[in-house]
Amino acid sequence: GNVARRDPSCMRLCHQKDCEGVLARFKAGLADTTFTFSFSFPTLRERISGRFREVTFAKLLPEALRHCGMTAEEAGEKLAIEPRFWQMIVKGRVYPEKNTVLALALVARMQWQDVLNLLAVSGFSFREDEVRDIVVRFLIERSIFNEQMIADCLAEYRLTNLPIRFLKNA
């Protein structure tokens, strides 16, 4: 009820007395709580109706990869997913999880609109309240696709569950 109104400039991090310490405490409190498996199996009804739907993940994936100048095999080699499961995702027999779609977007250097389309047909959406989504969006929109920069950025925000091969080797 009795809240004092403050100038918005004092709320900014750069105007704090110990801005480095505040930022360090904020980052220390971050944790990636969005663990998911790499795939899920569609039901028989979904598989049958998927054959007649115009827009599915398996139908959008080749077009999105074509925009990036990459094939499904090349993208699969950069993901830390077993090849047999990647082939099942490509053929539409298995649905990818959100982490897989976001990892694919980073390794394939996708455009943000393609990522949103793939998320939508997979049953997911971009969420502004999830650190993982914000960080991946920042990297994609700024066209930051350098492996070391991606690894450093994901490590800084403690995002460890994206199935990207160069992250698993580090």
Side-chain angles (χ1 to χ4, degrees), residues 89-120:
I89 290 171
V90 170
K91 292 178 182 176
R93 287 188 263 149
V94 170
Y95 291 149
E97 289 293 323
K98 189 172 186 178
N99 285 340
T100 306
V101 176
L102 294 176
L104 175 66
L106 288 174
V107 300
R109 302 172 178 220
M110 285 188 180
Q111 299 171 2
W112 184 242
Q113 189 58 48
D114 288 334
V115 177
L116 290 177
N117 292 339
L118 289 175
L119 285 172

Side-chain angles (χ1 to χ4, degrees), residues 34-118:
T34 56
F35 176 77
T36 58
F37 293 101
S38 297
F39 56 89
S40 64
F41 293 98
T43 63
L44 179 62
R45 179 178 297 205
E46 290 172 331
R47 287 196 334 234
I48 292 170
S49 66
R51 293 187 184 268
F52 301 105
R53 262 190 278 149
E54 287 184 31
V55 181
T56 63
F57 185 84
K59 292 177 183 175
L60 278 182
L61 181 63
E63 183 65 28
L65 290 174
R66 201 171 308 120
H67 289 163
C68 308
M70 188 176 280
T71 64
E73 292 77 27
E74 293 171 342
E77 290 172 2
K78 294 183 178 189
L79 293 172
I81 299 174
E82 288 186 40
R84 66 185 177 115
F85 289 122
W86 175 245
Q87 287 304 315
M88 292 170 74
I89 290 171
V90 170
K91 292 178 182 176
R93 287 188 263 149
V94 170
Y95 291 149
E97 289 293 323
K98 189 172 186 178
N99 285 340
T100 306
V101 176
L102 294 176
L104 175 66
L106 288 174
V107 300
R109 302 172 178 220
M110 285 188 180
Q111 299 171 2
W112 184 242
Q113 189 58 48
D114 288 334
V115 177
L116 290 177
N117 292 339
L118 289 175

Side-chain angles (χ1 to χ4, degrees), residues 157-169:
Y157 289 97
R158 298 181 185 174
L159 301 173
T160 58
N161 59 354
L162 292 177
I164 301 175
R165 189 168 305 278
F166 64 80
L167 293 177
K168 305 302 179 197
N169 294 336

Side-chain angles (χ1 to χ4, degrees), residues 23-33 131 135 156-158:
L23 183 62
R25 285 193 304 277
F26 173 73
K27 287 182 180 177
L30 291 176
D32 187 12
T33 59
V131 175
V135 170
E156 184 170 347
Y157 289 97
R158 298 181 185 174

